[in-house]
Amino acid sequence: MAGTMAVVQAQRDVFHVRGHAVNWILLRDGRDLTLIDTGYPGDLAAVEESITRIGHQPQDLRAILITHCHIDHVGGASRLAARYGIPVYVHAREVPLARGEVREQASPLDVARRCWRPRVARWALEVVRAGGTRPPVVPEAAALPGDGPLDLPGRPTPLPSPGHTSGHCGYLIPDAGAVATGDALVTDHPTGPGPGPQVLAAMFCHAPGETLAGLEVFAEAPADLLLPGHGPLWRGDPRRAVAEARAHAPAGYRPG
């Protein structure tokens, strides 16, 4: 999958990386790195390559932070943890998903019901090729070690934003004025309407109404740069991005 990968330097020590229809983020502090999300299983080589492209080695990773336990975000986490001895952290409410005790991800049947739509069919085929049918299990994952700025490169600060999954968690990168929004707030998706701040289709979301409410944590963040789990980075007032996503929420997010 390395051929599909592109590294964008969003700020001096913040890198937003596009993988196979999904993104991950690298935060740098000297020779140390934090990785936020790990793409699909088929993105593992691309994750490692993205690290070398910015002049580092995977051994420089001090931790992996997971925004939520869907296969396109945890695909390489276990193998990276085992290969390099890297700790993996999720929000406490996400631990049961990481262990495989609970699953809050669109099922193959959910996707199959919508494959009459050409964009969904194309995306589903690529997901299969990227290893997206595997269970999103990361048994090594532990609960985040704190609520405030973590003692990790980039000082990422957890921003709990439940709804997409029960323990979905974005991260404020305070020194960069940036927010990693995971899948709670994205800027594009192969199955979506096109570029722009948005929420994903309801089939991908565990609790759509809670997702819309959870966006408030991003609206209030002291930032002017959004680093989404899908789509390009976005610069501007996060309140505007949240308002746009709420105003154009697709069917399934609103009663009636």
Side-chain angles (χ1 to χ4, degrees):
M1 297 297 173
T4 66
M5 186 265 292
V7 179
V8 176
Q9 186 167 7
Q11 297 282 29
R12 179 177 177 180
D13 292 312
V14 179
F15 301 87
H16 192 236
V17 188
R18 186 195 69 215
H20 204 76
V22 70
N23 305 323
W24 56 88
I25 298 162
L26 289 163
L27 309 178
R28 181 173 62 189
D29 184 357
R31 294 305 305 168
D32 297 330
L33 300 173
T34 300
L35 173 63
I36 301 178
D37 288 342
T38 64
Y40 282 100
D43 282 316
L44 179 59
V47 172
E48 293 179 319
E49 183 185 335
S50 69
I51 292 169
T52 62
R53 280 201 194 178
I54 66 170
H56 288 259
Q57 298 297 322
Q59 292 86 345
D60 296 332
L61 288 171
R62 297 296 164 255
I64 298 170
L65 303 179
I66 300 296
T67 59
H68 64 292
C69 290
H70 283 173
I71 192 60
D72 53 335
H73 295 261
V74 303
S78 285
R79 285 179 290 173
L80 287 167
R83 190 174 294 175
Y84 304 108
I86 307 164
V88 181
Y89 296 111
V90 298
H91 189 275
R93 291 181 63 186
E94 200 77 357
V95 170
L97 281 74
R99 293 175 178 169
E101 300 166 359
V102 178
R103 189 165 184 179
E104 297 177 354
Q105 179 165 316
S107 70
L109 181 58
D110 292 328
V111 176
R113 286 171 175 163
R114 295 162 176 82
C115 272
W116 59 270
R117 302 172 183 172
R119 295 185 71 182
V120 175
R122 287 193 297 270
W123 166 81
L125 179 60
E126 292 302 310
V127 165
V128 171
R129 291 172 176 168
T133 59
R134 301 179 193 177
V137 177
V138 190
E140 303 87 350
L144 288 165
D147 297 326
L150 302 176
D151 186 19
L152 293 171
R155 299 197 305 128
T157 303
L159 296 178
S161 41
H164 186 72
T165 62
S166 294
H168 187 285
C169 187
Y171 295 92
L172 173 68
I173 301 111
D175 295 340
V179 177
T181 57
D183 278 6
L185 177 61
V186 303
T187 58
D188 205 358
H189 191 268
T191 66
Q198 61 194 269
V199 290
L200 292 171
M203 75 167 174
F204 297 118
C205 187
H206 175 64
E210 192 175 359
T211 297
L212 291 184
L215 296 179
E216 196 61 27
V217 72
F218 302 134
E220 296 175 354
D224 58 6
L225 173 63
L226 301 184
L227 307 171
H230 299 271
L233 57 81
W234 189 93
R235 299 184 188 274
D237 187 338
R239 289 173 293 187
R240 181 163 61 88
V242 167
E244 187 172 335
R246 284 173 170 164
H248 298 100
Y253 277 82
R254 304 182 186 285

